[in-house]
Amino acid sequence: MILMMQVGGYKPATVTDFDIPKKYGLRQTIADTLGIGGIFRGLRTIPVLEAICRDMQEVCPQALLMQYVNPMAINCWAIKDLAPEIRTVGLCHSVQHTAGHLAQCLGEDIADVNYVSAGINHVAFFLKYEKIHSDGRREDLYPRLNALAADGRVPPDDRVRFDVLKRLGHFVTESSEHFSEYTSWYIKEGRGDLIDQLNIPLDEYIRRCEVQIKEWHALRKELEGDKPIEVCRSNEYAAGIIHAAVTGNPALIYGNVPNNGLIENLPDECIVEVPCHVDRNGIQPVRVGRIPSQLSAVMNLSVSVQQLTVEAALTKNRERIYQAALLDPHTSAELSPDQIWNLVDDLIVAHGDLLPRYQ
């Protein structure tokens, strides 16, 4: 089963997630994974996930749920707590997309690149990124990536991630526009110089949704027309998982699964994104061990928000929503506690029946 949906749609839900925070001076880029937008997208989505899990328990308890819906870690964490017996994996494309992107930046063929990534969804880092030469020699490509960052020879739309590379020593897998709102470092009220310097696209998801909706309408006309449509396999993981499960030919993916010791210095109960072996036995995560402490520290900024959001959704405890927003790095860097409480109240009212009743 492949799960792709947007509870509340672009309008009104996503627009609300942007417009109301803006009234408080809180600007976002994507708002679907962390931040106040990610929190409320999770709160809208988890009740629907709960209903889907109940249906799966009744109709197809042995099926594999391939979960593509953001906020990825929050949603997968909720599924784990709601229905731990369901076989599930969260799937994203940030690891393979960024691996290819970095190869292009270096003028290399991705087929010659070997990498290992680990972390949490959208805040995972390449622990290894190397070139395999024809004679078998392995070349660490990080010195060349560091040289690009030091010389400023980076893509204009990727300045945030190359800045993160300079600060933390590793390259993050999610895009610059996403990562810029996961910390308190880059988007700041009154610091237009930072926005310009790092080319951060505020309100990017709003513009992106408008474009995608037009593309969907165009695709619908094509599908309803008489001309044949070329279908090509993408680099999304779901097709590879299905092929491996049916044929037994193994595949390697990056999946979002319960930690349970896979990454030693992250909480066992959180959802991590790690390499996974796939065959007829299903999804088999690979234990990574301990990751650099500066990376786990950045990840834990997100993990606390994820945990409190899941608790809010599953217990209907309104206090947990306030606390999730209070601990969110970007929200708390911009707003006072009273502003955060008022913002949460405004969003609960605005989303109306898209949210359950909280106590």
Side-chain angles (χ1 to χ4, degrees), residues 244-273:
V246 172
T247 66
N249 295 327
L252 181 72
I253 68 160
Y254 278 81
N256 290 270
V257 295
N259 186 19
N260 294 331
L262 296 172
I263 297 180
E264 184 179 318
N265 46 338
L266 286 180
D268 277 349
E269 64 269 21
C270 79
I271 299 296
V272 294
E273 188 171 74

Side-chain angles (χ1 to χ4, degrees), residues 143-157:
R144 290 171 58 187
L145 290 172
N146 286 323
L148 290 180
D151 298 341
R153 294 180 291 115
V154 304
D157 61 351

Side-chain angles (χ1 to χ4, degrees), residues 230-250:
E230 182 180 3
V231 178
C232 301
R233 178 171 165 175
S234 74
N235 66 351
E236 297 288 349
Y237 288 131
I241 292 172
I242 294 170
H243 185 267
V246 172
T247 66
N249 295 327

Side-chain angles (χ1 to χ4, degrees), residues 84-139:
E85 71 281 6
I86 287 180
R87 298 192 306 136
T88 184
V89 62
L91 300 175
C92 183
H93 50 233
S94 60
V95 174
Q96 65 269 42
H97 279 195
T98 299
H101 166 67
L102 291 180
Q104 288 182 334
C105 290
L106 296 172
E108 297 291 350
D109 186 341
I110 187 60
D112 298 329
V113 174
N114 179 56
Y115 59 85
V116 175
S117 171
I120 62 173
N121 181 242
H122 288 190
V123 194
F125 292 82
F126 288 104
L127 306 180
K128 178 191 295 183
Y129 195 81
E130 62 185 12
K131 179 178 180 178
I132 309 298
H133 289 266
S134 57
D135 61 0
R137 179 171 56 90
R138 293 171 180 260
E139 176 193 359

Side-chain angles (χ1 to χ4, degrees), residues 46-228:
I46 290 173
V48 180
L49 294 175
E50 184 173 6
I52 291 171
C53 287
R54 285 199 303 267
D55 288 345
M56 288 187 67
Q57 289 166 328
E58 180 179 346
V59 177
C60 53
Q62 299 303 314
L64 173 66
L65 176 60
M66 290 176 277
Q67 206 288 117
Y68 271 103
V69 182
N70 279 328
M72 175 62 66
I74 287 172
N75 290 342
C76 290
W77 195 326
I79 292 170
K80 169 183 70 75
D81 287 356
L82 286 165
E85 71 281 6
I86 287 180
R87 298 192 306 136
T88 184
V89 62
L91 300 175
C92 183
H93 50 233
S94 60
V95 174
Q96 65 269 42
H97 279 195
T98 299
H101 166 67
L102 291 180
Q104 288 182 334
C105 290
L106 296 172
E108 297 291 350
D109 186 341
I110 187 60
D112 298 329
V113 174
N114 179 56
Y115 59 85
V116 175
S117 171
I120 62 173
N121 181 242
H122 288 190
V123 194
F125 292 82
F126 288 104
L127 306 180
K128 178 191 295 183
Y129 195 81
E130 62 185 12
K131 179 178 180 178
I132 309 298
H133 289 266
S134 57
D135 61 0
R137 179 171 56 90
R138 293 171 180 260
E139 176 193 359
D140 181 6
L141 293 175
Y142 260 117
R144 290 171 58 187
L145 290 172
N146 286 323
L148 290 180
D151 298 341
R153 294 180 291 115
V154 304
D157 61 351
D158 211 5
R159 292 172 185 166
V160 168
R161 288 198 293 183
F162 275 92
D163 187 73
V164 172
L165 172 62
K166 289 195 293 185
R167 314 296 176 182
L168 300 180
H170 293 266
F171 205 90
V172 69
T173 58
E174 190 43 65
S175 63
S176 281
E177 63 266 23
H178 268 284
F179 190 81
S180 64
E181 63 183 4
Y182 299 158
T183 73
S184 58
W185 311 335
Y186 297 116
I187 304 175
K188 297 177 181 291
E189 180 71 13
R191 291 299 307 273
D193 58 321
L194 273 179
I195 302 299
D196 294 339
Q197 174 191 338
L198 296 170
N199 198 23
I200 297 173
L202 297 173
D203 298 326
E204 166 65 18
Y205 194 60
I206 294 293
R207 294 187 293 272
R208 191 177 298 180
C209 284
E210 296 281 3
V211 171
Q212 288 176 336
I213 290 169
K214 290 179 181 177
E215 291 174 349
W216 292 338
H217 288 312
L219 177 60
R220 179 173 184 172
K221 289 182 179 179
E222 290 184 29
L223 292 171
E224 293 175 342
D226 298 327
K227 294 182 180 180

